[in-house]
Amino acid sequence: MQNTTQRAEQARVDAVRAKIRTRQTTVASQLASAHQETTRVEQAYGDATRVNVTEVDDRMETNAAVQQQKMMVARAVENETILTHEQERLTLLQDAPYFGRIDITQDGEPETLYIGMGTFIDQHDQFLVYDWRAPVASVYYNGTLGPVTYDAPAGTMEATLDNKRQFMIDQGRITHMFDTNETVGDTLLQAVLGEQTDAQMKNIVATIQQEQNDIIRDTKAAVLVVQGVAGSGKTSAVLQRVAYLLYHNRQALDADQMVLFSPNQLFANYISAVLPSLGEKNMRQATLAEFFAKRFAGLHVETLFERYERDQASLPESAKVIRRFKERAEMLDAIVAYTQAPGYAPNFVDITLNGEVFFAAKTIQKIYASQPATATAANKFLDTKNTLIRRLKTRIKLAVYDDWVQDALGSLSADAAATIVGERTFASGDAETAFIAAHLVERAFAPVYDAIYNDYFLDCYTDYARFLAQVTAPVAPATWAAMIAAYQADLEAHVLRLEDAAPLLMLRDTLAGTGRNHLIQYVFIDEMQDYSMAQLKYLHHAFPKAKMTLLGDVKQDVFTSDYQPADLIEAIQHVFGTQNVRLINLFRSYRSTAPITNLAKNLLPDHAHIQAFSRDGQTPQLLVIPAEAARDTLIRTVTQLLNDHHTVAILTKDMATATRLFATLQLDVPITLLSPQDHQMHTGCVILPVYLAKGLEFDAVIGYDVSAGTYAADSDRDLLYTLASRALHTLVLMALDAPSPLLTALPAGLLTQAGVATHN
């Protein structure tokens, strides 16, 4: 039987929901009327734009009417938009109006506030629910009982937190309710974290922790770096941060002015429901591969996944040294210095038309060299382009008298001439003929204009090779020369190595003054440890007005653990120099059960900072089986796990293994193979390489072939840590013949072992 307090709280939930339903009915009616009004006003605007051009007075009167109707259209559309947003917010609140309550005393006055997904005010202007992003709501997330402060538009406010109450409400019924002195009580977290997962990430508004709240509400840092252990909620917190920033900057900030760099399209789809669930539009999303692909039209830029797979086959020590050298932030500084050297000139190529040279490279070089020596490379290049365009226009004027133009005029039909002329009128027939002739020449010379406009006469690829040839190489001259030759051979095949992409873009941008987006205000980079310092520096260059949020886990350095800087955070801070850089560490892992987290962290040599949330569960299992028994054991294990879980993932070390395994299992187990080209997550059983699972989570994970021959190197620790930390509830590690020495070296009690290893 419910106690008195819970009955009173349930009565309030019922009353608030009733008022929400009433308001929904009103808004639906108002929205229908607003839509009709918008349609009517738009029709009137269309009628008003039929301008009477007979008399001057009529034109003036019509123009005034058009402006008036235009304003009416804008007001009608704005009114409909406001009502639509309110309708969406009411829908968010209808089943669970709120999840928290705080009792505070401020200026001697006691007040009770309820915190939910959005604001709801009744007809008497009483706040029945406060939006979780409101300034006072930070007390719910940060405050413990006693004196508290919170930032408000009027400044820092002081209050006393007398009580904090948390709810779980499902379809209008309170299922859990308790008072707590914690940020979010363990009881609520246990209930939420114990749920099964699905194909999309859920928002964490009801369970935001204090350290996550610091990430969400930071508005001062130019560069916010979030170093969080696996499962610490860093990605979720950053998505709430986006919602918070949009809420507090409605007039000056739009979701289109934000961009999130996701690790892959699977992850982008996985998180795509979070912002809509908060009533916000999704921001722009891109992967680094997509970003580079758009900037290197006609070239295939190697992806991080392709490079990883290639490295599995062979990665000589010299290749590591060269890659490390190219991926330093200083590489971009060297590029800029290279273009500023006295006497420097870019590498130009001929502009041709119909197979003949129109502007020779030597001519372009002379134009560039004639620019003031003190001008920047970008200004010299712009002036060179303008000079070429002026010369093109001169050539067009002279060409109208060429024989081929006269022949074209003679063979031009009346209909074709009329199409060129359009509605224009001319003082004489000769003037009309001259206009048509100029049009024919411009059309014929259009490829030249396109070449100038699109900078096709600039050969930055050859220039980059020239730059590489004059740097002080970190390897033997012959090895460095072989690298340059390989770069040029790849270009012949229309392929560009990943480590060359950022330096090349910096060279092109510096020379041409292009490539910078000044409209983007916020850039978010997930899995920051997968980015080289050169790539981060270039993204900072490409979005010069944007505040940046970088998040990741240096311990999940799956791709570059062999050659990335030892102190990644220090290297990142060095990249951004004098910028206001703030570092927030998240040490507690909430995703997995405590036994899984404790196993995962012990795979790392330095793991004392990782804290497991106290959610109990089964000890991870290690199955050591003969290789010939792997298929049957895997089928049996998957079948058992699917009986208890919504999502089961088989994680392999590489794509080739995942593909082979899928081929052997697909007839006997309902299973989906996921590759870097896939965009859609699935429930049920999926199989994918571990690097593609970064950022994702599954109810159960099977680590396939965690064997002595597969995970033997010390650099494989990051891979195994990432693999293990994908599991929420169940982790099964399957070793063929003999387990990895990284597993056998673990402290006793972290794994239960079954099966007997056999050796041929």
Side-chain angles (χ1 to χ4, degrees), residues 191-476:
V192 171
L193 297 174
E195 295 176 352
Q196 297 280 309
T197 191
D198 53 30
Q200 289 190 311
M201 180 183 284
K202 302 171 185 175
N203 78 67
I204 61 164
V205 168
T207 58
I208 292 170
Q209 301 295 293
Q210 181 171 353
E211 64 272 20
Q212 295 165 339
N213 197 46
D214 290 341
I215 296 167
I216 293 166
R217 294 175 186 261
D218 184 289
T219 58
K220 296 178 181 178
V223 182
L224 180 63
V225 181
V226 181
Q227 159 56 35
V229 302
S232 56
K234 52 188 177 292
T235 300
S236 295
V238 166
L239 292 172
Q240 320 299 318
R241 171 172 169 75
V242 173
Y244 177 84
L245 292 169
L246 290 170
Y247 176 84
H248 281 272
N249 296 276
R250 285 278 183 235
Q251 303 305 315
L253 183 64
D254 184 81
D256 288 337
Q257 294 172 295
M258 299 174 153
V259 61
L260 168 65
F261 283 90
S262 299
N264 53 65
Q265 281 297 335
L266 270 178
F267 181 80
N269 181 269
Y270 179 63
I271 66 172
S272 63
V274 173
L275 283 169
S277 76
L278 298 169
E280 301 291 352
K281 185 175 71 172
N282 266 321
M283 72 191 114
R284 299 182 183 191
Q285 285 199 57
T287 64
L288 188 65
E290 290 171 334
F291 178 80
F292 283 151
K294 287 182 179 179
R295 281 156 177 77
F296 288 108
L299 283 181
H300 172 73
V301 183
E302 179 184 46
T303 69
L304 198 59
F305 308 126
E306 290 167 345
R307 186 167 79 176
Y308 171 88
E309 295 284 352
R310 179 166 55 84
D311 289 350
Q312 294 301 299
S314 173
L315 182 59
E317 189 60 36
S318 60
K320 295 180 187 179
V321 173
I322 290 172
R323 190 180 296 174
R324 187 186 301 120
F325 181 78
K326 286 184 177 181
E327 292 190 336
R328 300 172 308 141
E330 290 78 9
M331 189 71 167
L332 303 195
D333 297 331
I335 288 278
V336 175
Y338 167 71
T339 66
Q340 295 173 342
Y344 166 80
N347 194 79
F348 295 116
V349 294
D350 296 337
I351 297 176
T352 60
L353 180 65
N354 300 326
E356 296 183 359
V357 175
F358 195 95
F359 287 124
K362 289 183 178 179
T363 299
I364 303 173
Q365 287 170 349
K366 288 180 181 179
I367 296 172
Y368 185 91
S370 69
Q371 306 304 320
T374 56
T376 64
N379 284 338
K380 290 180 182 179
F381 185 79
L382 179 60
D383 287 343
T384 300
K385 286 181 68 170
N386 289 335
T387 301
L388 289 173
I389 290 173
R390 286 196 299 271
R391 292 189 180 187
L392 173 61
K393 290 179 178 178
T394 300
R395 295 275 293 270
I396 290 172
K397 289 178 181 178
L398 295 173
V400 296
Y401 303 107
D402 289 352
D403 291 343
W404 70 267
V405 180
Q406 301 307 311
D407 292 342
L409 284 171
S411 61
L412 196 67
S413 68
D415 287 343
T419 300
I420 293 171
V421 170
E423 300 296 323
R424 298 174 183 84
T425 58
F426 299 91
S428 66
D430 289 344
E432 181 175 345
T433 301
F435 175 83
I436 295 173
H439 175 83
L440 292 175
V441 175
E442 286 175 0
R443 187 167 64 187
F445 288 2
V448 176
Y449 178 81
D450 288 343
I452 298 172
Y453 181 80
N454 292 303
D455 305 336
Y456 294 155
F457 59 96
L458 175 64
D459 181 7
C460 59
Y461 300 103
T462 299
D463 206 359
Y464 181 61
R466 191 171 66 182
F467 161 76
L468 291 174
Q470 56 86 54
V471 302
T472 303
V475 292

Side-chain angles (χ1 to χ4, degrees), residues 363-587:
T363 299
I364 303 173
Q365 287 170 349
K366 288 180 181 179
I367 296 172
Y368 185 91
S370 69
Q371 306 304 320
T374 56
T376 64
N379 284 338
K380 290 180 182 179
F381 185 79
L382 179 60
D383 287 343
T384 300
K385 286 181 68 170
N386 289 335
T387 301
L388 289 173
I389 290 173
R390 286 196 299 271
R391 292 189 180 187
L392 173 61
K393 290 179 178 178
T394 300
R395 295 275 293 270
I396 290 172
K397 289 178 181 178
L398 295 173
V400 296
Y401 303 107
D402 289 352
D403 291 343
W404 70 267
V405 180
Q406 301 307 311
D407 292 342
L409 284 171
S411 61
L412 196 67
S413 68
D415 287 343
T419 300
I420 293 171
V421 170
E423 300 296 323
R424 298 174 183 84
T425 58
F426 299 91
S428 66
D430 289 344
E432 181 175 345
T433 301
F435 175 83
I436 295 173
H439 175 83
L440 292 175
V441 175
E442 286 175 0
R443 187 167 64 187
F445 288 2
V448 176
Y449 178 81
D450 288 343
I452 298 172
Y453 181 80
N454 292 303
D455 305 336
Y456 294 155
F457 59 96
L458 175 64
D459 181 7
C460 59
Y461 300 103
T462 299
D463 206 359
Y464 181 61
R466 191 171 66 182
F467 161 76
L468 291 174
Q470 56 86 54
V471 302
T472 303
V475 292
T479 304
W480 190 251
M483 178 277 299
I484 296 175
Y487 156 77
Q488 293 170 319
D490 285 340
L491 279 181
E492 290 293 323
H494 303 286
V495 173
L496 182 67
R497 294 287 177 97
L498 180 59
E499 60 264 31
D500 292 312
L504 250 171
L505 282 176
M506 190 58 134
L507 177 61
R508 189 170 73 187
D509 291 358
T510 303
L511 295 178
T514 56
R516 309 190 84 183
N517 186 326
H518 291 81
L519 298 178
I520 298 296
Q521 293 191 34
Y522 284 90
V523 172
F524 303 87
I525 298 175
D526 205 352
E527 304 294 349
M528 63 182 177
Q529 71 278 1
D530 295 341
Y531 288 70
S532 70
M533 296 305 104
Q535 290 166 356
L536 291 179
K537 189 178 183 71
Y538 179 76
L539 290 177
H540 183 47
H541 157 85
F543 302 101
K545 298 292 181 65
K547 290 186 174 182
M548 306 193 77
T549 301
L550 282 59
L551 60 148
D553 179 9
V554 296
K555 301 301 183 183
Q556 294 183 64
D557 190 5
V558 168
F559 297 104
T560 59
S561 58
D562 268 1
Y563 47 84
Q564 190 72 282
D567 192 334
L568 182 66
I569 302 302
E570 183 178 321
I572 288 173
Q573 290 175 320
H574 176 70
V575 165
F576 294 100
T578 58
Q579 295 275 318
N580 176 18
V581 180
R582 181 186 182 191
L583 171 64
I584 295 180
N585 287 298
L586 302 178
F587 295 128

Side-chain angles (χ1 to χ4, degrees), residues 140-141 164 166 180 182-186 188-189 206-209:
Y140 172 77
Y141 295 114
K164 183 188 296 186
Q166 295 170 356
T180 180
E182 301 173 71
T183 303
V184 173
D186 280 0
L188 178 60
L189 270 175
T207 58
I208 292 170
Q209 301 295 293

